Every structure is written in C-alpha cells, then in structure tokens.
Amino acid sequence: MHIIDLRSDTLTRPTPAMRAAMAAAEVGDDVFGEDPTLNRLEEMAAERTGKEAALFVSSGTMGNLVSQLTHCGRGDETILGDQSHVFYYEQGGASALGGIHPRIIPNLPDGKMDPAEIETAIRPDDVHFPRSRLIILENTHNRCGGSPLNADYMQSVAQVARRYNLKIHVDGARIFNAAAALQTDVRSLAADADSLSFCLSKGLAAPVGSLLCGSRDFIQKARRNRKIVGGGMRQAGILAAAGIVALEEMTERLCEDHDNARKLAEGLAEIRGLSLNPESIRSNIVFFDLTREDMGAQELAQGLEKSGVRVIPLGPGKRLRAVTHYHITSEDITQALAVFRKVTAG
Ligand SMILES: *Cc1c(COP(=O)(O)O)cnc(C)c1O
C-alpha cells in the first residue's frame, strides 16, 4: 500500500543529490574549525539570513537552547508565547540547564504576540524581579497553524525590544516556509532578529541539523555553549553537505507544499464533521477539528492509518494535524481526501 504520511515534514528523507554530496564531502575536524564543507554551510546560512555568522547545531531544539544560553544568564527571563515550540516541546531546557525563567504570554491565533502585551510583561528594575532579557518569536508558528510573521510585525516587536534593551531570538525552524508564504526573502524576515535558528531537517529534506545565526560575537559565544551541551561534532561536513544541497535546491519548491496544504484544507473543509478555515492555511501545516460526537481524534487517525493516510492527533480536544512536504504530491492529496471521505462516512 502507498503510504501518504502527513504526520510531519521531519519525515522527509535526503534527496539523491544530498546522498551524492554526502558521499563526496570533503571533511575535517569541526571542533578545530577545520571542516571545509561545514564552514561553507555556515557561511551560506549567514549569507541567506543576512547575519555575520552562523553555527551548525544538531537540532532545532539545540539551536533554541544554545541561543537562550548565549543571550541569558541564570535568573534572566525570556518572554515567549504560550503556544511556542520552545515553551511546549523543549522540556523547559533553558530552565533545566540554564536557570533561565520563562514568562509566557498568549499567542494570538496567527502566531503573533501582541507587542503591547510584550511591553507589559517586561520587568522594571526591582530586586523582586528576574531581569527581562530576551523575546522569542516563532516563524512560521507551528501550533498556530504554520502562520508566517511578516517583516512589519517583526519591526513592531523590535521597537519594543530596543526601547527596553532586550534581544530578539527567532525560532525559525520553518523560516523558509515563511519567506515562501510571504513571497519575500529570509533576510528581510531576519533583519530585526538578534539571532535566528532554522532547521535543515524539515521541509528542506536534509537528514540532520539546524543553523543558529547572529553577530560574529554572538556566534563565538554560542560556539562555547554548543560545546557544553555536547554539540561539538567532528567530521560534520558529511551532514553539512546535505545541508548545502538543501539551501541550494530545496527552498524554492516550498510553495508546492503550501499549494498542496491549501488543496488538502479546501477538501477537508467540505467533509461533514471536520472543521477548519482553509483561508487560514498559509504554509504547509493544516490543523483541523473533529466536530462529531461519535468519533475521537485518535479513532479517526487510526481509521485513516488503516487506509494508508497518516496524520497526528494534536490537542487540545479533537484537533489533528497534517503537514505537507517533499514526498507528498498533489495526486497524494487527492487520494488522501478520498480516504478521509471514506473513513468519516462510516
Ligand atoms: C521542529 C521544531 C523545532 C525543533 O526541532 P528539532 O530539530 O526537532 O529539535 C523548533 N521549533 C519549531 C517551531 C519546530 O517546529
């Protein structure tokens, strides 16, 4: 059976061009700074994000952690959204390992945090309070349906940050999806960020790795923090080779994933018992709700699985998520919708 796996864009496997580049990669010891392929990837990442420097890390989680450890000291406070990946899915790593305190404010449905609310959350200088240090934004916003944050919004947050001398980190795991959705470049979305991390291992289809980007000084400090969390890798050029192909060949095609997501959403919206607004789908993530009494999210997912379609139940309530990616074609979406109709019919 042909499996249409819509659980996540992390399921993407390296392309033949990536395999070939990995096999042929020139490598050295990156902890000595001597891996030419890795150095090239870091230069490319800095270039693409408009930052002075970049650092290869093993995952998005490591990128966000190393960034927080670099911006903040113990007892410092970050301001981040209640639906953010950093708050939700990273084990509270910044608190556990860095003594960094999270201040949570609500994410709006489109993934933004109201700049006025951010401002209200910033602590005055007082012995009772932690020191506000860092604002963390997420672009595109995973739990808010893959919505992109545009440059105007970034600017409005940056104005607040500058007024109070705070830094901004962007969790840009899917920043290339944001750029594709907004028909702009990553550089302009990163302009107001002091640091930005992005994943190679999601829609860009590389097997492993993320890049943390920022000023030369910031990246030099981040390099130390990467080492302390065990992220100093040796002949990592093998991985970087795939990352270079990802940046060269895989960013332009993301709009295909977005078109497929929109097609999926439009089809799902017509199915009785499923609820979503297709207009709200801006990138490759489709959240939808089951509105029927007689079926649970788990049950629906299991029914779909039996017919070769995989999605994941992701609360609250009867919410599920489907993500389009490199291995999903428009024809797959047509087929997946047929399976949805069959499983929900009985
Ligand atoms: C996937 C993801 C991460 C973390 O990525 P890993 O590589 O799985 O650690 C961080 N932020 C967002 C928004 C993500 O979707």
Side-chain angles (χ1 to χ4, degrees):
M1 182 168 48
H2 175 56
I3 305 291
I4 301 168
D5 203 334
L6 298 166
R7 288 172 303 166
S8 177
D9 48 8
T10 57
L11 296 159
T12 46
R13 298 174 302 276
T15 65
M18 287 178 189
R19 299 266 192 181
M22 292 172 83
E26 200 187 328
V27 296
D29 189 331
D30 179 53
V31 178
F32 286 83
E34 291 175 5
D35 189 305
T37 308
L38 192 73
N39 291 341
R40 178 152 168 253
L41 173 64
E42 290 181 344
E43 275 163 31
M44 282 176 73
E47 224 282 310
R48 290 290 283 269
T49 57
K51 300 297 172 199
E52 287 174 1
L55 181 71
F56 183 73
V57 291
S58 64
S59 66
T61 301
M62 186 185 278
N64 289 332
L65 174 62
V66 166
S67 176
Q68 291 176 86
L69 292 174
T70 308
H71 285 298
C72 305
R74 300 187 74 81
D76 286 349
E77 192 167 70
T78 54
I79 297 171
L80 71 171
D82 64 348
Q83 298 299 314
S84 67
H85 194 281
V86 172
F87 177 62
Y88 233 91
Y89 295 121
E90 299 183 11
Q91 282 195 33
S95 314
L97 304 180
I100 298 160
H101 192 249
R103 177 75 177 272
I104 304 308
I105 65 174
N107 274 121
L108 304 171
D110 63 1
K112 292 175 181 153
M113 297 183 278
D114 180 349
E117 287 220 40
I118 295 176
E119 185 162 5
T120 307
I122 296 172
R123 311 272 197 168
D125 186 8
D126 181 307
V127 291
H128 295 89
F129 298 147
R131 287 172 302 253
S132 303
R133 198 66 87 191
L134 179 68
I135 300 164
I136 303 176
L137 300 171
E138 186 172 314
N139 198 10
T140 62
H141 201 292
N142 186 338
R143 284 185 63 87
C144 294
S147 42
L149 305 178
N150 62 31
D152 283 349
Y153 172 73
M154 293 297 302
Q155 234 169 45
S156 64
V157 175
Q159 272 169 13
V160 176
R162 272 188 225 113
R163 207 173 308 139
Y164 295 88
N165 208 17
L166 267 62
K167 302 291 189 198
I168 297 178
H169 172 70
V170 173
D171 174 359
R174 296 187 181 81
I175 195 73
F176 286 94
N177 292 88
L182 297 166
Q183 297 184 311
T184 183
D185 54 12
V186 166
R187 210 170 240 273
S188 60
L189 298 178
D192 287 298
D194 297 284
S195 62
L196 174 137
S197 53
F198 69 85
C199 289
L200 298 167
S201 56
K202 294 188 170 168
L204 303 185
V208 178
S210 287
L211 273 307
L212 177 61
C213 309
S215 70
R216 219 174 295 287
D217 179 54
F218 173 83
I219 292 299
Q220 200 179 336
K221 290 178 179 141
R223 202 173 284 281
R224 284 187 62 81
N225 287 321
R226 181 185 68 172
K227 193 77 174 81
I228 205 173
V229 297
M233 290 173 273
R234 302 295 176 173
Q235 285 73 34
I238 296 271
L239 303 173
I244 289 170
V245 176
L247 288 181
E248 281 176 343
E249 296 181 7
M250 303 300 282
T251 61
E252 295 295 315
R253 60 156 303 284
L254 291 172
C255 50
E256 293 171 34
D257 298 342
H258 299 184
D259 291 345
N260 285 335
R262 182 61 84 95
K263 175 175 166 180
L264 177 68
E266 282 165 2
L268 292 177
E270 286 171 5
I271 295 175
R272 193 187 61 84
L274 298 182
S275 162
L276 77 156
N277 174 12
E279 295 300 315
S280 72
I281 308 304
R282 302 288 307 280
S283 64
N284 67 330
I285 300 179
V286 180
F287 276 95
F288 54 99
D289 292 298
L290 196 50
T291 55
R292 321 167 18 164
E293 294 295 320
D294 63 339
M295 192 185 266
Q298 205 80 40
E299 204 183 334
L300 174 58
Q302 280 162 9
L304 293 167
E305 163 99 44
K306 279 185 201 133
S307 297
V309 174
R310 294 190 178 141
V311 297
I312 38 178
L314 258 189
K318 294 185 174 188
R319 178 158 289 190
L320 297 100
R321 192 188 76 173
V323 182
T324 56
H325 54 77
Y326 180 57
H327 302 301
I328 301 296
T329 63
S330 176
E331 176 52 35
D332 287 332
I333 299 296
T334 306
Q335 250 190 64
L337 286 168
V339 170
F340 267 96
R341 280 190 290 271
K342 186 184 82 179
V343 172
T344 53

